[in-house]
Amino acid sequence: MRLALYRYRLPLTRPLMPGDAQPGKREGPTQKSPIREGLLLEIDGQWGEIAPLPGFSRESLDEAEAESLACLEALARGRAIAPRLPSVSFGFDCALRRWPPAVATPPEPCPLLQGPPLELLAGLDDLARAWETAAVRKAKLKVARHATQDELALIRRLTERFPALMLVLDANGGWSRAQALAFCSRLPVGRIDYLEDPCADFADSAAVAAASGVPIAVDEPLARGLPWHPVPQLAALVIKPTLVGSLARCEALVREARRLGLRTVVSSSFESDLGLGLLDRLAAEWAPDEPPGLDTRRWLAKGLLAPDGLPERDALIRLHRSDGHHE
């Protein structure tokens, strides 16, 4: 069995969460240095990515690296493995998976808008030209990060400028119940596809949805293993495999969504271009009719893949070789 583990460092075009830190809120990933770090795993020519997202994953990259090396040592000795860290489970599952034959390509990823509202407003003309060419009908906007009036003004201008546009809003659990209710009471409900995690506690999110009529989606409770349950306003389950963990657990959530009549959205955690390619394949398999949340490639100043679609090993730091020795 050919085994290898590599570490990568990718420059970003901007910090992942610029200006998003708030009192009492988790620090956004890569606030100080616009670098994304992660691991690439190779098993007999098949690849996986292990890239905990700082501020969101429960494990650090060093912890993921240590468990990955232990798993590789076990595999080299013919032993079964059972990774416990979510990012490690995802990476090994991808590298060991028997992928089905190619399926239909899913819709284009939902464009992601993230940053200060005034900056986004200033770029509406450029956005309009790009979206007209791409026939964009849905976009995702991060909220609960800046002044409420500024975020609502941006939503108002977006819905005025793009009359056919539906908005996905993502609060990352950043509001209290009262704050979320105040925000939702001023939304154009008919133009909101759904609001992801308005509150950290699902009971609060459900109460906000019931009171406001705004459809909601569950994201972070899935990744953190927190309780949730179907409510009339629940529209979708947002699955981030890097945070959720094993593909078996992800597939169980996909089946549960189908059973409940909910939509499934496969979403990224700012993985490299290799990881995004894996997520795109999973989205095509699990939710072929739903635009995935994979519009994070723009944050990468460069990629890891060569023209042949395989990682450029010379740009990686090798941590493990097939013979089990370390460098």
Side-chain angles (χ1 to χ4, degrees):
M1 180 177 279
R2 189 168 77 252
L3 305 170
L5 185 70
Y6 304 89
R7 192 161 182 155
Y8 70 78
R9 287 173 53 87
L10 283 177
L12 302 173
T13 59
R14 69 195 93 168
L16 296 186
M17 298 282 185
D20 288 347
Q22 296 179 359
K25 197 172 161 57
R26 289 177 300 177
E27 284 294 312
T30 322
Q31 292 256 337
K32 297 179 180 179
S33 177
I35 295 290
R36 182 66 166 116
E37 294 185 274
L39 306 171
L40 295 189
L41 168 69
E42 183 184 14
I43 300 178
D44 287 338
Q46 189 161 289
W47 292 82
E49 178 163 350
I50 299 166
L53 184 60
F56 290 87
S57 291
R58 69 188 73 167
E59 70 271 21
S60 69
L61 182 58
D62 287 343
E63 290 169 334
E65 180 182 310
E67 184 173 74
S68 298
L69 290 169
C71 288
L72 288 173
E73 293 285 5
L75 285 175
R77 289 169 170 76
R79 300 173 184 167
I81 61 170
R84 61 181 183 83
L85 299 178
S87 63
V88 179
S89 293
F90 171 65
F92 274 84
D93 281 357
C94 286
L96 292 166
R97 191 175 198 234
R98 292 185 178 180
W99 291 85
V103 293
T105 303
E108 284 295 310
C110 187
L112 173 63
L113 299 177
Q114 180 170 297
L118 294 180
E119 289 185 13
L120 294 173
L121 282 169
L124 277 189
D125 288 342
D126 292 337
L127 204 61
R129 285 189 288 271
W131 285 5
E132 182 178 4
T133 302
V136 171
R137 293 292 178 267
K138 184 188 296 187
K140 181 174 182 176
L141 175 66
K142 293 285 188 176
V143 293
R145 286 160 170 73
H146 304 278
T148 295
Q149 64 269 23
D150 291 343
E151 293 184 339
L152 288 167
L154 174 60
I155 290 169
R156 184 174 62 253
R157 285 290 292 120
L158 285 168
T159 54
E160 291 171 353
R161 185 70 179 269
F162 307 100
L165 183 71
M166 293 293 290
L167 286 172
V168 171
L169 305 179
D170 185 4
N172 286 117
W175 288 315
S176 67
R177 184 185 295 199
Q179 289 171 326
L181 279 170
F183 190 91
C184 289
S185 69
R186 299 169 63 185
L187 285 176
V189 177
R191 302 294 298 279
I192 306 303
D193 193 25
Y194 56 79
L195 168 61
E196 288 182 37
D197 297 335
C199 307
D201 185 82
F202 179 77
D204 288 334
S205 293
V208 169
S212 66
V214 174
I216 60 170
V218 180
D219 177 356
E220 292 193 37
L222 304 181
R224 298 166 62 194
L226 299 177
W228 64 277
H229 58 274
V231 296
Q233 293 78 24
L234 183 58
L237 300 187
V238 179
I239 300 174
K240 290 183 168 70
T242 288
L243 303 184
V244 172
S246 74
L247 294 185
R249 186 178 171 208
C250 293
E251 288 167 340
L253 290 171
V254 172
R255 290 193 297 271
E256 182 70 357
R258 290 172 180 165
R259 185 183 72 81
L260 296 171
L262 304 174
R263 291 145 60 191
T264 296
V265 180
V266 176
S267 187
S268 67
S269 303
F270 290 93
E271 294 85 359
S272 75
D273 46 344
L274 183 140
L276 288 172
L278 295 170
L279 292 172
D280 191 64
R281 292 174 68 181
L282 293 171
E285 182 180 340
W286 294 342
D289 300 322
E290 188 70 32
L294 305 180
D295 187 37
T296 54
R297 196 181 304 267
R298 294 178 292 114
W299 271 256
L300 301 175
K302 59 182 292 188
L304 297 174
L305 300 180
D308 62 3
L310 296 175
E312 296 189 81
R313 289 178 176 82
D314 290 345
L316 305 171
I317 302 168
R318 189 167 62 186
L319 304 173
H320 184 97
R321 301 187 304 189
S322 298
D323 58 11
H325 294 149
H326 301 272
E327 293 188 343

